[in-house]
Amino acid sequence: MKPAIPLLTALLLGGISSPLAQGAPVFERHAFPLSQGVWGVAAMDVNADGKLDLVAAGETKVWAIIAPDWRVVEIADTRGGRTIHAVALDADGDMDAAGCSFSAKVVRWWENLGGGKFTAHDIDTTNDQQAYDLKIVDLDGDGAKDILLAGRQSNNAVWYRQRPVPLSEMATFRKLFGK
C-alpha cells in the first residue's frame, strides 16, 4: 500500500483540483423557463441517451427538460400537480414517473414510452385524496415499488401497494402491452 502523504501534500499545496480542497461548494444557477409555476422536479433519463434529464410538474402540465441542450417538451396535461418522482415502475428497463395532485385529488404514474413520450396511468382518482407529497419505496420488501402519500386536508398517510404480477399473468401482460 502506497502512503497517502504525496496525495495529501498535493491537495494542501493546490496541485490537484478537488471540490473538497477548495473549501465551501459553489453552485451555479440554471433556470429553465416554463409557462407556469412548478411544484415538483425530478431527474431521470427520459430518452434513454444515458444523460439525466429533468421532469417538472406544474399546475396543469408536466414537462421533460432534455439534456444536453435542455430542450423543454410538454409530456402531459394534468391539473394541480404537486410533486413528481422518477422511478422504474413497470420493469421494462427505463425510468417512469409518479406524481400526485392536491386540487385534482389524483395519484398517477406516467409510463415512459421512450423518445420523451409518456402515457398516464391513474392510481387513485375516486377517494377524494388530497395529495401533498409522495415517496417511492418497497415498503413490504416484495421487490415491487410502492407509493407513500401524504394527504394534507384528507388528514391521512396512504400506502399504495404495488401488487407484483404473478408469473402466470406475465404472458398476458406482454401480449397486451408488448413488454
Side-chain angles (χ1 to χ4, degrees):
M1 182 172 177
K2 294 186 178 183
I5 304 254
L7 177 60
L8 180 59
T9 303
L11 285 171
L12 291 174
L13 296 176
I16 296 176
S17 178
S18 166
L20 297 175
Q22 297 175 13
V26 176
F27 295 91
E28 186 177 303
R29 182 178 187 267
H30 298 270
F32 307 101
L34 300 170
S35 61
Q36 57 191 241
V38 174
W39 288 98
V41 65
M44 65 185 279
D45 185 358
V46 170
N47 55 358
D49 65 354
K51 296 176 177 68
L52 283 178
D53 308 301
L54 301 178
V55 177
E59 286 292 327
T60 63
K61 307 281 183 204
V62 177
W63 301 274
I65 306 168
I66 305 193
D69 60 352
W70 304 108
R71 176 176 45 93
V72 176
V73 177
E74 183 182 314
I75 61 175
D77 279 323
T78 188
R79 185 170 63 101
R82 175 56 72 170
T83 191
I84 194 160
H85 286 275
V87 58
L89 283 173
D90 58 4
D92 64 356
D94 59 16
M95 294 298 285
D96 307 299
C100 62
S101 166
F102 178 76
S103 59
K105 301 176 184 173
V106 65
V107 181
R108 102 177 6 125
W109 73 282
W110 290 272
E111 179 182 4
N112 187 344
L113 303 176
K117 294 182 178 15
F118 288 77
T119 295
H121 300 276
D122 290 339
I123 296 169
D124 188 353
T125 60
T126 60
N127 290 306
D128 203 31
Q129 182 64 52
Q130 291 188 319
Y132 189 76
D133 187 27
L134 95 160
K135 304 292 182 212
I136 309 296
V137 65
D138 179 6
L139 189 62
D140 56 0
D142 66 357
K145 303 283 189 200
D146 304 315
I147 295 175
L148 303 179
L149 187 83
R152 186 170 169 242
Q153 287 183 318
S154 43
N155 300 327
N156 60 4
V158 180
W159 170 28
Y160 293 100
R161 180 180 180 267
Q162 184 182 167
R163 183 180 64 85
V165 177
L167 291 176
S168 61
E169 294 179 21
M170 287 305 291
T172 303
F173 179 83
R174 286 189 180 112
K175 184 177 180 182
L176 291 173
F177 296 103
K179 301 279 180 179

